[in-house]
Amino acid sequence: MKKIISQIIQYLFVLLFAYAALNKWLTFSEFQVQLGQSTLLHGYDGFLSYVILIVELLVAVALCIPKTRLVALYLSVFIMTAFTIYIYVVLHHTSMSTCACTGIFEKMSFETHLWFNLGFVILGIYGIYLETTNKKATLKWVIGTVLAGIALVALLFFTSKHESAQQQDFTRTFLSDPLEIDSEMVFQKNSFYIAGVDGDKIYLGDYDSPFVIIEVDMNTKKETTHIVDIDDKDLQFYSLKTKVLPPYFYLADGVSAVVLRGKLGEWYAKTISLNQSYFTAFMPMDSSRFALRGVNGLTEQSELGILDINAEQPLTPFPELLKKQVDGLFDVDGMFSFSPKSKKLVYSYVYRNQYLVMDTNMKLMRTGTTIDTTSVAKINSQRTEKGEIKMTNPDVSVNSRSVVHRDLLFNISNVMGKKESHKEWRQVTVVDVYEIDNNRYIGSFYVNNQSGIKLFDMAVTDTHLYGLFAQKMIRFALPNWLEAN
């Protein structure tokens, strides 16, 4: 019976390593890209991509040979221990979104992958015990193998740039008046994002259920779920997202090139644009005109434009607005924010310290800069076998979220200034505030993590800042001098 169990364990490891190696070989450039995106492995990615592939193949073969089987089992435990600790570090100590995995493993969540790897560590240890007779000596070798796997990842961790925030030579001015919490709510789900604001009501979209809009009243702490009905049930959607600009809400899918509009309170949306333009970012400016970012099919570079559903030529591109520095794709990545009060549209770059201030005709009014020093995007990109262009270095984003209200820009920064500690940054989110009319930095404030969760999304009104932390929404009272600026 022990022999059968031992063989089953060996076959499982052979299948695991052979499958992993084959997938890496078939998508090798994509595998290299993912390694390069890892904050723990970047810098070692060129060397490690070959080493991991070769070692997995050799272990799979060695497991099939009786004379090398025991050594291969020890190597299997070493490799799976290292993979397990790597996933743990990614999950708890970095801001990474990828794990350099291929095939079915790429589809797993970090939590699932952690338990999957841990299960194979235990299987491997049991398989070693079934193959040996001197249990005392085996215990020492197993402990040493596990510790070696842990030590390898620890070495990578302490020699890599694993911090989620970069540190630069500038000094922030922190506001003397802290934000005070005046209301908070906890939701049952953590898949919400802020779709828009209407007075004291906040509207949330749901990544998991794109036809659901949650209406939140922070005064009464009432949460109302609305199910949106649409006029054309045959439409295909791939990345549907909700935006609210009172008195309307909008459902937009740039992959399907479709925009639907409905009135708040009625929850029925009609198709107002179909196949007029594909886009990667979308912001309504009024009931019929929308700011878009899309990729030019000829140049493969991102451009801004206006979609006017009532115009004879619905799409008007403005290719001169985004300034290419590296590839014209990732280096110009950014986010729209729009203030109905001041009728100003802001496009904030993700990977550099700049933002564009435009009117509703997308006429450039001014270019502003944030206080950090990243004037050139520090990114590299590469085309994979699938034809996709992906970044090949760790996330070096400068700005993660920007919201404009009247003439103030609230910007979540990923860059630390002088005398700011990594330890504190893991516990807070920093928001910098700018006056966009004259590109003046006003000051910054910290927003504390909630149960270990950082500020994910935000909205600003005349008197409050609303912060979304996964399943929790908090309303902060703005200091008097920031109100209704």
Side-chain angles (χ1 to χ4, degrees), residues 70 73-74 77 123-132 138 142:
L70 183 58
L73 279 172
Y74 275 108
V77 171
L123 269 180
I125 293 173
Y126 186 51
I128 290 172
Y129 271 90
L130 292 176
E131 288 287 315
T132 57
T138 299
V142 166

Side-chain angles (χ1 to χ4, degrees), residues 397-410:
S397 59
V398 173
N399 309 307
S400 62
R401 185 77 175 94
S402 291
V403 174
V404 63
H405 178 68
R406 296 187 184 270
D407 294 318
L408 293 182
L409 181 68
F410 294 76

Side-chain angles (χ1 to χ4, degrees), residues 260-274:
L260 301 98
R261 183 182 64 204
K263 203 162 189 179
L264 292 172
E266 296 180 1
W267 312 115
Y268 176 76
K270 294 182 179 180
T271 305
I272 58 173
S273 176
L274 182 62

